[in-house]
Amino acid sequence: MGSLTETKTETNTRPYGLRLIESATKTTLTFRAYQAIVLLITFFAYASYHAARKTTSIVKSTLDPHSSLSLGLLPWPRPNFLRQAQNQTLNSGWAPFDGSDGTSMLGQIDVAFLAVYSLGMYFAGHLGDRLDLRKFLTAGMVGTGIFTALFGLGYWSNIHSFYYYLGAQMLAGLFQSTGWPSVVAVVGKWFGKGKRGLIMGIWNAHTSVGNILGSLIASAMLNYGWGWSFVVPGLLIMAFGVVVFLFLPVSPELAGIGNEEEEEEEEEEESKEQKAKSIEEPLLGRTAEAKEKEKEKAVGFMEALKIPGVVPYALCLFFSKLVAYTFLYWLPFYISHTAIEGEYLSDSTAGNLSTLFDVGGVVGGILAGHISDRLDARAITAASFMYCAIPALFFYRIYGSMSLYVNAALMVIAGMFVNGPYALITTAVSADLGTHSSLGGNSRALATVTAIIDGTGSVGAALGPLLTGYISAKGWNGVFTMLMGSALVAGLLLTRLVVAEVVAKMKGQRGSRSSSTEVAVAEEEV
């Protein structure tokens, strides 16, 4: 009787939308179906975060007094009220960003957003391990949408106060900080460590998909007036927030699946794949011991900080995100202000072209995840990608102006090597460390560990765009020198972990040779 009550309580915690689907179809969703739902919903949820975040970089050149906005690119007619509104900015920029210090002011807004974002990340991770992740993520998405849209409303309200736009971006950054710890924690609860790098590498394409979607939407909306470039992504993320609230299952325990046979098969498969690695039970296993550990208190900040590997990866991500976010916020601006084959591209065209960097990022994230799974070497993979990013950035700066095709090809390559380790560390590495053996299988450290690593990385993400705002005024060579130096430092910070992985592999090879030799000797004796 007590077990029936317990099962009923767990089932009632399922999201309303899933309960409605199961009631309408008169079927119970399988464990695999739940996993697919989790991947899809968290993918599009975080893609909408990045779509809302990307808009600022696209609108920069329109707000800046040196913008060269090209209108009339869309094939469909524009309503009269939009046609009238867009004429307000044309080539004159938008106060207060139309002065000589406009570029620096835009950089200050970027760093304010990312500073609040990185600070909020630490608190978001702490709260995420203690609150209902579905409601927490929904609140973050709705709040992000509101303040993103408020930034754009300054266009129609004719607001020219720097502090209005600064405040809107800071509050948007605060709500944005809820996203990453939440989605990684949810995915980590549903997927074990086997092939986690590949799964999360593919799943992490949401970052690039969101950037591409945000770029295309913002670029298209520029033809109607820059305010729409903020309002539309703001409405989009709020809509996805509703989807999260209705359909996202946080964990197998809360979903009350109870499919013991399928879970045993998953455990056997995980045991075969990880036998040589001596890794403890998978996250998706729900044995009695695992259930008890699930009830443990959430891990504190200092305890999570002491987990081996957290500090080196966090510092590496600091410099890795510095490079990645400098491209995120300044690449469209850089393209529109750099002559390619002697001609300057319009803001809309530059924004669309910049999406190729994110296309390369998708490829890089998948490759880094797959390679790290095959080699069982996260640090070696991340460091190698960072070192390869140095010549990729150099060639893009030197030869990117030769032609549009050369620029596009080099941009894809740079995106692959820059975003590959960034994607690997923020997904598979964070999930691995969040379930480290030193925690005794406690999965309630996932959001906290993810927040520490990505929060530290976000400080670098704030610093890069800020420095770029000042350095670019003297020339872009200095900016690329900063980016290449950051990539080098990011790789060097993983040196100790790389050496440890190499030593472990050498010992493993010696062990396998010794055992094979013993077998051969035994066969000869027989």
Side-chain angles (χ1 to χ4, degrees):
M1 195 74 168
S3 61
L4 289 174
T5 304
E6 183 180 351
T7 303
K8 184 177 180 181
T9 302
E10 287 183 343
T11 303
N12 285 338
T13 61
R14 297 184 189 184
Y16 304 111
L18 294 183
R19 277 191 255 168
L20 182 62
I21 291 175
E22 291 182 332
S23 175
T25 58
K26 296 181 180 180
T27 58
T28 301
L29 295 173
T30 65
F31 188 82
R32 292 292 189 186
Y34 271 93
Q35 285 183 312
I37 290 171
V38 167
L39 284 179
L40 284 173
I41 292 179
T42 53
F43 182 95
F44 287 107
Y46 203 69
S48 67
Y49 270 103
H50 265 263
R53 193 180 307 175
K54 181 67 176 177
T55 55
T56 308
S57 66
I58 302 299
V59 179
K60 264 191 176 77
S61 295
T62 302
L63 302 177
D64 187 270
H66 304 293
S67 65
S68 55
L69 179 61
S70 176
L71 303 174
L73 297 179
L74 296 182
W76 53 83
R78 293 180 292 278
N80 289 331
F81 77 95
L82 291 177
R83 200 178 290 133
Q84 180 181 0
Q86 72 179 11
N87 291 331
Q88 295 177 15
T89 51
L90 286 177
N91 295 316
S92 61
W94 185 269
F97 309 106
D98 57 351
S100 58
D101 59 345
T103 302
S104 298
M105 294 176 75
L106 290 170
Q108 291 170 18
I109 284 181
D110 288 344
V111 75
F113 171 90
L114 291 168
V116 174
Y117 174 79
S118 59
L119 181 63
M121 186 80 72
Y122 296 108
F123 293 100
H126 182 79
L127 293 172
D129 282 328
R130 291 160 174 80
L131 301 177
D132 186 330
L133 284 171
R134 179 170 59 89
K135 296 177 181 177
F136 186 60
L137 184 59
T138 300
M141 296 177 74
V142 172
T144 297
I146 290 173
F147 288 104
T148 300
L150 282 176
F151 191 104
L153 288 176
Y155 174 70
W156 293 282
S157 301
N158 203 28
I159 297 175
H160 297 281
S161 170
F162 170 73
Y163 295 103
Y164 171 84
Y165 297 107
L166 180 67
Q169 279 293 83
M170 290 176 69
L171 290 170
L174 180 63
F175 280 96
Q176 282 254 359
S177 66
T178 62
W180 191 240
S182 300
V183 295
V184 173
V186 171
V187 173
K189 290 176 184 294
W190 282 95
F191 291 87
K193 294 181 179 179
K195 298 183 179 179
R196 177 179 278 166
L198 178 60
I199 291 173
M200 285 193 155
I202 297 173
W203 173 75
N204 191 68
H206 53 49
T207 299
S208 297
V209 170
N211 290 339
I212 293 171
L213 183 63
S215 297
L216 295 177
I217 291 175
S219 297
M221 291 300 103
L222 279 177
N223 292 272
Y224 300 130
W226 65 262
W228 289 103
S229 297
F230 288 90
V231 171
V232 173
L235 294 175
L236 181 68
I237 190 172
M238 284 191 279
F240 276 114
V242 175
V243 173
V244 166
F245 181 77
L246 293 177
F247 295 99
L248 180 64
V250 172
S251 69
E253 287 73 24
L254 294 177
I257 298 175
N259 192 334
E260 298 297 334
E261 183 178 354
E262 185 171 358
E263 289 164 6
E264 288 176 1
E265 293 176 359
E266 292 290 339
E267 288 179 6
E268 291 175 1
E269 180 181 354
E270 185 75 0
S271 177
K272 292 177 182 178
E273 293 177 352
Q274 303 294 346
K275 186 176 181 180
K277 304 174 188 176
S278 300
I279 292 180
E280 301 198 6
E281 75 278 354
L283 283 174
L284 53 81
R286 292 168 61 235
T287 61
E289 183 181 357
K291 288 181 179 180
E292 287 297 320
K293 293 180 185 294
E294 192 67 23
K295 297 177 183 178
E296 293 177 359
K297 292 172 61 178
V299 172
F301 181 86
M302 294 305 299
E303 187 178 353
L305 198 62
K306 293 177 182 178
I307 297 173
V310 168
V311 173
Y313 276 116
L315 294 176
C316 173
L317 191 62
F318 175 95
F319 291 96
S320 178
K321 286 192 75 169
L322 186 152
V323 179
Y325 269 65
T326 297
F327 274 90
L328 174 68
Y329 280 93
W330 285 98
L331 183 57
F333 185 91
Y334 169 74
I335 294 173
S336 65
H337 288 75
T338 302
I340 300 177
E341 291 185 280
E343 297 183 0
Y344 290 90
L345 302 179
S346 68
D347 294 341
S348 296
T349 304
N352 292 332
L353 181 62
S354 69
T355 60
L356 292 176
F357 182 82
D358 295 297
V359 172
V362 173
V363 177
I366 295 173
L367 277 178
H370 179 63
I371 292 171
S372 69
D373 276 344
R374 293 294 299 272
L375 298 179
D376 188 26
R378 308 287 198 212
I380 292 174
T381 304
S384 299
F385 270 68
M386 290 311 307
Y387 292 139
C388 290
I390 298 172
L393 293 170
F394 176 79
F395 288 127
Y396 179 70
R397 171 57 182 164
I398 300 300
Y399 301 107
S401 59
M402 288 181 58
S403 72
L404 195 61
Y405 296 105
V406 172
N407 186 290
L410 292 176
M411 192 188 306
V412 170
I413 295 173
M416 181 175 68
F417 288 118
V418 168
N419 285 342
Y422 161 39
L424 179 64
I425 294 173
T426 55
T427 55
V429 169
S430 295
D432 288 349
L433 294 175
T435 55
H436 195 269
S437 58
S438 63
L439 297 171
N442 184 3
S443 64
R444 296 192 67 187
L446 275 166
T448 301
V449 170
T450 300
I452 290 174
I453 293 176
D454 201 45
T456 304
S458 296
V459 177
L463 184 62
L466 175 65
L467 294 176
T468 300
Y470 292 100
I471 298 174
S472 62
K474 299 181 180 179
W476 286 97
N477 286 335
V479 174
F480 276 83
T481 300
M482 175 189 71
L483 298 179
M484 289 185 286
S486 298
L488 175 62
V489 175
L492 292 175
L493 284 168
L494 296 180
T495 300
R496 191 178 70 174
L497 297 178
V498 169
V499 171
E501 288 182 350
V502 171
V503 171
K505 288 189 172 299
M506 292 176 65
K507 289 182 178 179
Q509 289 179 354
R510 290 172 185 170
S512 62
R513 288 173 185 170
S514 299
S515 52
S516 62
T517 302
E518 292 173 359
V519 171
V521 171
E523 289 178 349
E524 289 179 0
E525 291 177 352
V526 172

